[in-house]
């Protein structure tokens, strides 16, 4: 990974976090344009990722996966952080920073299946882009889910002083549902694109790959969450809990699983 | 420049009978501004006239003419008006205007209308060409300070009363009320207060249920709502988003099972219940249900107390901000003014230098061009060095707002001009 542009991106994300965490430490002009700053950071991030993919001998592995997650989270923040969404910035900016920071320090390991992949296969970027868009949707949904549970708890316990300027329960619920739906659609298409990639590239059967099975389980988890909401009307706390557990499983899949199980997606 | 003064009366100092006598229409304000200027009472002026205050801001050498104009007015009992008036000068006047425009001096602190009224006053004064160097600068700064107060403190969010506490809670759950329906159960005073505030906040529909149907009709017509028969009240729980109870019933009239059924009908969209009755009308067990948010009269009191604390905190922050801005404004004003004096002093010194050069022209003619240039440069340097100390002192005094030092430093130049 090229370090310098990523460090620059990290600094921009840190400014976004600082503007939310300690508004008085940041000049007013910057504070008012924090969403724009995040957008510029995300664009720089995207450009660096794209530049690596196009101009260098690219072999995506764990650092690239983490970097793409970080980009996804920041993009999600850019699209929903209208007005004074301070809490959202405090939750999402550190998530993006941790993912990108980890990407910079973990040793590089390529996803093993890529050795067999034709580098020009068009399904590879589609598969990756859709999956990380899905991860971004789920990250946003779970971050908003945490906020939802927090505001709900404060209301139930009548601790009005804890709520401050946080958004209303219904708007948090709406964002967590929509971003989950977005993540689900992207994940579904991403899995499909992965299937197309495997069919085009590999000789062996890919359907029994442990990572594929695990991801299908995560997909099913979100499927249940969305069905519970769309058919039974179970929303709010239900969606938040499904979302938080689902994202935990997704993160585990991205980071932990590839090291534990021998799979086509394992690193190294 | 004359002093910057603010004189007026407001709800703090004068009863409505006095305020209404002083209140001025736009036409009267225009007329008065013109007369203040024509009669030489003020170099610059503008007038804020609302139902809660009438204030004149002016730059004047002598306040006698303004006093005379105000002296023409009498209170309702024929008493002189001056007992209701407050006068502020310079920094205090600036601070007062900043406080007024930021709604810190309003009857309901934080209300947003006053800024619009101040803007109207500025517009009228601009049209009457009665804003000059000082008040033009001051009014621009006032609008910017008011904006800062609104965005940097929570003064605008502060609201009072049990009704608004209910609205605040409803907004924390729903975010908006214009697509929500509420059921008012019982037509007690507190219940009506909350219902009124919700209707005021844009509630889509109010449904009223009371044991005596006639009273539901009466109350519903007052709020533009829909009356329903008492025995249909439970059935309606599934069709509304907000339930406000305020009946004299001695036992709970809404049970957890009623709410569970209603939530199933609502597909678990949150239900906000406000129980204002004592003894309570809604069984406390309702609050244990996932999507039901039940608040009683004590909870609303807590919301109000918290609102009050936040309002006080926001007002203190806003006051500190305003004081700091007023101080900076005066310092900037002094710097600008001193800057003009410095310009005049420099021009005067240059005139003196040229006069002296002129006087020795005959001698200088005997010098070659290079020598003449050297004399020119030398005299310029002398003047510059002689003035340097004074100018620095003037600038420092302006920055520190030390009018006495400024006056002492300017005195010889004024005498020189005189």
């Amino acid at each position: 990974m090229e370090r310098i542009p990523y460090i620059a991106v990290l600094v921009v994300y840190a400014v976004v976090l600082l503007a939310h965490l300690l508004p008085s430490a940041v000049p007013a002009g910057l504070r008012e344009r924090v969403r724009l700053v995040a957008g510029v950071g995300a664009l720089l991030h995207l450009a660096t990722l794209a530049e690596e993919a196009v101009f260098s001998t690219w072999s995506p592995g764990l650092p690239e996966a983490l970097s793409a997650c970080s980009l996804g989270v920041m993009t999600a923040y850019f699209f929903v952080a209208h007005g004074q969404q301070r809490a959202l910035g405090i939750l999402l900016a550190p998530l993006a920073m941790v993912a990108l920071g980890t990407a910079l320090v973990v040793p590089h390991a390529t996803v093993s299946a890529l050795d067999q992949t034709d580098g020009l296969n068009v399904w590879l970027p589609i598969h990756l882009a859709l999956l990380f868009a899905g991860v971004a949707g789920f990250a946003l949904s779970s971050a908003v889910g945490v906020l939802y549970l927090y505001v709900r708890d404060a209301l139930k316990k009548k601790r009005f002083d804890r709520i401050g300027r946080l958004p209303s329960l219904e708007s948090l619920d709406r964002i967590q549902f929509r971003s989950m739906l977005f993540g689900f659609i992207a994940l579904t298409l991403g899995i499909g694109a992965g299937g197309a990639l495997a069919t085009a590239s590999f000789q062996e059967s890919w359907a029994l790959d442990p990572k594929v099975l695990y991801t299908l389980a995560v997909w099913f988890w979100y499927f249940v969450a969305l069905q519970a909401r769309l058919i039974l009307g179970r929303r709010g706390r239900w969606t938040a809990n499904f979302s938080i557990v689902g994202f935990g499983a997704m993160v585990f899949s991205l980071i932990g699983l590839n090291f534990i199980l021998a799979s086509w997606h394992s690193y190294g | 420049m004359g002093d910057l003064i603010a004189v007026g009366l407001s709800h703090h100092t004068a009863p409505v009978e006095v305020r209404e006598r002083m209140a001025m229409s736009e036409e009267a304000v225009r007329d008065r501004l013109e007369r203040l200027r024509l009669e030489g009472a003020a170099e610059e002026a503008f007038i804020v006239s609302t139902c809660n205050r009438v204030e004149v801001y002016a730059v004047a050498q002598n306040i006698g003419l303004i006093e005379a104009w105000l002296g023409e007015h009498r209170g309702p009992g024929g008493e002189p008006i001056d007992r209701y008036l407050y006068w502020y000068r310079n920094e205090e006047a600036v601070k007062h205007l900043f406080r007024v425009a930021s709604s810190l001096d309003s009857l309901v602190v934080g209300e947003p209308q006053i800024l619009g009224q101040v803007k109207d006053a500025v517009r009228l004064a601009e049209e009457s060409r009665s804003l000059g160097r000082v008040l033009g600068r001051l009014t621009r700064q006032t609008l910017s300070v008011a904006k800062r107060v609104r965005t940097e403190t929570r003064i605008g969010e502060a609201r009072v009363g049990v009704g608004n506490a209910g609205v605040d809670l409803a907004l924390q759950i729903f975010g908006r009320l214009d697509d929500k329906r509420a059921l008012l159960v019982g037509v007690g005073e507190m219940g009506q207060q909350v219902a009124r505030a919700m209707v005021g906040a844009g509630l889509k529909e109010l449904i009223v249920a009371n044991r005596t149907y006639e009273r539901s009709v009466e109350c519903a017509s007052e709020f533009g709502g829909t009356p329903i028969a008492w025995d249909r009240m439970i059935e309606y729980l599934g069709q509304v988003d907000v339930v406000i109870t305020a009946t004299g019933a001695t036992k709970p009239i809404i049970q957890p099972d009623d709410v569970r059924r209603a939530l199933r009908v609502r597909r678990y969209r949150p239900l906000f219940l406000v129980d204002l009755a004592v003894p309570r009308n809604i069984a406390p067990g309702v609050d244990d249900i996932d999507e039901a948010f039940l608040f009683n009269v004590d909870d609303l009191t807590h919301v109000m107390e918290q609102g009050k604390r936040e309002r006080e905190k926001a007002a203190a922050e806003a006051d500190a901000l305003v004081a700091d801005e007023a101080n900076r404004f005066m310092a900037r004003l002094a710097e600008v003014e001193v800057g003009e004096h410095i310009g005049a002093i420099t021009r005067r010194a240059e005139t003196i230098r040229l006069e002296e050069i002129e006087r020795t022209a005959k001698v200088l003619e005997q010098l070659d061009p290079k020598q003449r240039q050297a004399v020119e440069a030398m005299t310029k340097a002398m003047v510059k060095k002689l003035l340097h100390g004074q100018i620095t002192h003037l600038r420092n005094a302006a920055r520190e707002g030390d009018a006495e030092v400024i006056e002492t430093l300017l005195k010889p130049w004024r005498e020189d001009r005189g």
Side-chain angles (χ1 to χ4, degrees), chain A residues 79-97:
Chain A
F79 281 109
V80 291
H82 298 291
Q84 294 256 329
Q85 299 277 16
R86 184 172 172 213
L88 223 53
I90 293 175
L91 278 169
L92 290 176
L95 204 62
M97 287 175 70

Side-chain angles (χ1 to χ4, degrees), chain B residues 35-53:
Chain B
R35 281 175 60 189
L36 283 173
R37 214 181 54 230
L38 289 179
E39 290 166 3
E43 297 158 34
E44 305 175 39
F46 76 98
I47 296 173
V48 180
S49 175
T50 75
C51 53
N52 282 326
R53 69 182 66 246

Side-chain angles (χ1 to χ4, degrees), chain A:
Chain A
M1 281 179 82
E2 290 182 36
R3 304 187 72 83
I4 292 172
Y6 280 123
I7 291 170
V9 172
L10 208 54
V11 170
V12 177
Y13 292 173
V15 170
V16 174
L17 175 62
L18 193 67
H20 286 296
L21 207 58
L22 289 170
S24 51
V26 176
L30 196 65
R31 205 165 52 223
E32 284 160 16
R33 294 179 187 86
V34 63
R35 197 173 147 242
L36 189 71
V37 174
V40 170
L43 269 181
L44 179 61
H45 197 158
L46 179 68
T48 315
L49 263 177
E51 192 267 340
E52 276 187 339
V54 176
F55 296 109
S56 55
T57 48
W58 196 51
S59 52
L62 180 59
E64 285 73 18
L66 286 166
S67 167
C69 284
S70 164
L71 171 61
V73 169
M74 221 46 193
T75 312
Y77 165 83
F78 177 76
F79 281 109
V80 291
H82 298 291
Q84 294 256 329
Q85 299 277 16
R86 184 172 172 213
L88 223 53
I90 293 175
L91 278 169
L92 290 176
L95 204 62
M97 287 175 70
V98 168
L100 185 55
T102 317
L104 285 170
V105 293
V106 288
H108 188 274
T110 311
V111 171
S112 56
L114 289 171
D115 298 342
Q116 303 175 38
T117 313
D118 174 5
L120 296 172
N121 194 321
V122 70
W123 288 109
L124 180 62
I126 298 177
H127 173 59
L128 292 174
L130 284 168
L131 283 184
F132 288 112
V135 171
F138 294 140
L140 176 62
S141 178
S142 68
V144 174
V146 169
L147 265 186
Y148 179 92
L149 292 181
Y150 176 83
V151 175
R152 181 187 178 282
D153 187 59
L155 279 169
K156 281 282 185 189
K157 291 187 175 146
K158 326 294 180 205
R159 290 291 308 275
F160 309 119
D161 54 319
R162 277 174 38 190
I163 301 176
R165 272 183 164 176
L166 290 175
S168 70
L169 276 184
E170 274 209 333
S171 58
L172 288 171
D173 187 40
R174 210 164 31 241
I175 301 175
Q176 69 171 356
F177 168 65
R178 285 183 187 168
S179 48
M180 184 193 274
L181 189 64
F182 170 82
F184 182 77
I185 293 169
L187 179 65
T188 310
L189 296 174
I191 292 173
L197 168 66
T199 311
S201 304
F202 315 131
Q203 308 300 316
E204 309 149 43
S205 159
W206 51 273
L208 289 176
D209 180 73
K211 172 98 173 202
V212 174
L213 293 176
Y214 182 90
T215 310
L216 285 174
V218 173
W219 179 90
F220 187 69
W221 175 261
Y222 281 114
F223 177 76
V224 172
L226 291 168
Q227 292 306 309
R229 174 149 188 151
L230 294 168
I231 295 173
L232 302 175
R234 286 295 185 174
R235 61 192 70 223
R237 197 157 74 103
W238 275 57
T239 309
N241 286 335
F242 265 104
S243 192
I244 293 163
V245 174
F247 183 62
M250 201 83 212
V251 171
F252 176 69
S253 154
L254 274 169
I255 300 170
L257 200 65
N258 288 11
F259 287 115
I260 297 166
L261 292 174
S263 128
W264 283 21
H265 292 84
S266 337
Y267 302 126

Side-chain angles (χ1 to χ4, degrees), chain B residues 3-9 44-48 53-60 63 66 69-70 85-98 100 135 138:
Chain B
D3 275 344
L4 175 59
I5 60 154
V7 54
L9 48 79
E44 305 175 39
F46 76 98
I47 296 173
V48 180
R53 69 182 66 246
V54 178
E55 289 177 340
V56 182
Y57 293 85
V59 176
I63 58 168
I66 296 178
W69 161 51
L70 292 168
L85 295 176
Y86 42 80
W87 289 84
Y88 296 106
R89 267 174 201 270
N90 298 327
E91 187 165 337
E92 286 305 310
V94 171
K95 197 154 82 180
H96 181 70
L97 176 61
F98 287 175
V100 167
L135 289 189
L138 176 63

